[in-house]
Amino acid sequence: MMAFFERYDFLLLALLFCLPPLFIAAARPDLRPLMRRAALLALPFALTERFFYPDYWSPTFLFDLIHQLGFGIEDLLFVAAFGAFAATAYPALARRQIVAARPPRPRLAAALIAGSIATALLLHAAGLSMYGATITAELAALALLLRLRPDLALPALVGGLFVTAIYAVICLVYAALLPGIFDRVWHTEALFDRSVAGIPLEELLYGLASGALATAALPAVTGQRYLREPRPESPGR
């Protein structure tokens, strides 16, 4: 089995990222609708793989779809799982409910997706590495969201930190299963070219920016807010 994953290294990474949303879905059934929506909204980002491969990294794809379609099955699996996880890490770990607060903004989701991708591509065309352009575009989208919803600033920060921490754990497990994988497959020379505990710094920054943006984006689109879960009453009251 490991020989298979040593060949199809991106598939293993995508499957590892499926674990957090599965755990969250089991522990918090009330977050499942949010997870489904986040996974669906994240799918367009799979189409951007052609701008990362092979300059930023060069994994092996099932059926060599990267050369046929410009993205692979792994991309769809990864972005859906990561989107579902990033959008729900904060309410799951901080024990928050999501409740209606104001009218939804259905067009905001399309604007965020199209705007983020377009901004990243423009920055990349201007000479910035695609990974750096992606992180910058996410932070720009987050700044715009927080102007609309300043109440989401703290959840976005905490959610980003939660996602980064779990992202790092997954990367460490990945590196333990496939020793040397980050040295063989990742090409980070165009950006920071630094690592933390063997994990490329770019990956951790991506986790932070994506986690913060996802934490703020879904409530902003749906018109909801985070509310602290009520503490259970102690026995005898």
Side-chain angles (χ1 to χ4, degrees):
M1 178 62 73
M2 284 312 300
F4 175 82
F5 286 125
E6 285 174 1
R7 174 168 176 77
Y8 297 107
D9 36 31
F10 188 11
L11 178 61
L12 177 59
L13 183 64
L15 291 174
L16 288 174
F17 269 96
C18 288
L19 298 178
L22 289 175
F23 287 135
I24 292 173
R28 289 287 303 272
D30 60 301
L31 294 177
R32 292 174 188 171
L34 181 64
M35 297 177 74
R36 288 193 292 268
R37 179 173 292 184
L40 183 62
L41 292 175
L43 288 178
F45 293 99
L47 305 180
T48 64
E49 179 63 66
R50 67 185 70 228
F51 300 104
F52 296 94
Y53 179 95
D55 293 337
Y56 178 70
W57 74 332
S58 51
T60 303
F61 289 76
L62 285 168
F63 312 115
D64 197 31
L65 290 181
I66 186 62
H67 294 113
Q68 314 300 322
L69 302 176
F71 65 95
I73 296 170
E74 298 90 341
D75 289 298
L76 297 171
L77 185 60
F78 175 84
V79 299
F82 184 67
F85 152 56
T88 53
Y90 173 74
L93 296 177
R95 298 185 62 185
R96 296 295 191 270
Q97 295 175 325
I98 303 180
V99 299
R102 59 192 72 193
R105 295 171 173 260
R107 296 180 181 177
L108 182 59
L112 283 173
I113 294 170
S116 296
I117 293 175
T119 301
L121 293 178
L122 287 172
L123 291 172
H124 181 54
L128 192 60
S129 73
M130 190 60 191
Y131 222 78
T134 298
I135 294 170
T136 303
E138 288 182 325
L139 292 177
L142 176 63
L144 290 174
L145 272 179
L146 295 183
R147 290 195 66 180
L148 295 173
R149 291 286 304 273
D151 60 298
L152 294 173
L154 182 58
L157 173 61
V158 176
L161 293 174
F162 282 159
V163 171
T164 304
I166 297 173
Y167 199 108
V169 170
I170 292 175
C171 286
L172 290 173
V173 172
Y174 184 57
L177 294 173
L178 300 178
I181 187 65
F182 289 118
D183 294 326
R184 293 194 305 273
V185 174
W186 268 253
H187 317 297
T188 60
E189 299 84 1
L191 198 53
F192 294 107
D193 200 23
R194 295 289 187 273
S195 63
V196 178
I199 305 167
L201 179 59
E202 291 85 350
E203 293 295 326
L204 299 178
L205 292 176
Y206 172 74
L208 180 62
S210 300
L213 179 58
T215 301
L218 267 295
V221 168
T222 59
Q224 295 174 303
R225 66 185 178 95
Y226 294 110
L227 182 67
R228 186 185 297 274
E229 289 185 341
R231 293 182 179 179
E233 294 186 0
S234 57
R237 285 194 175 186

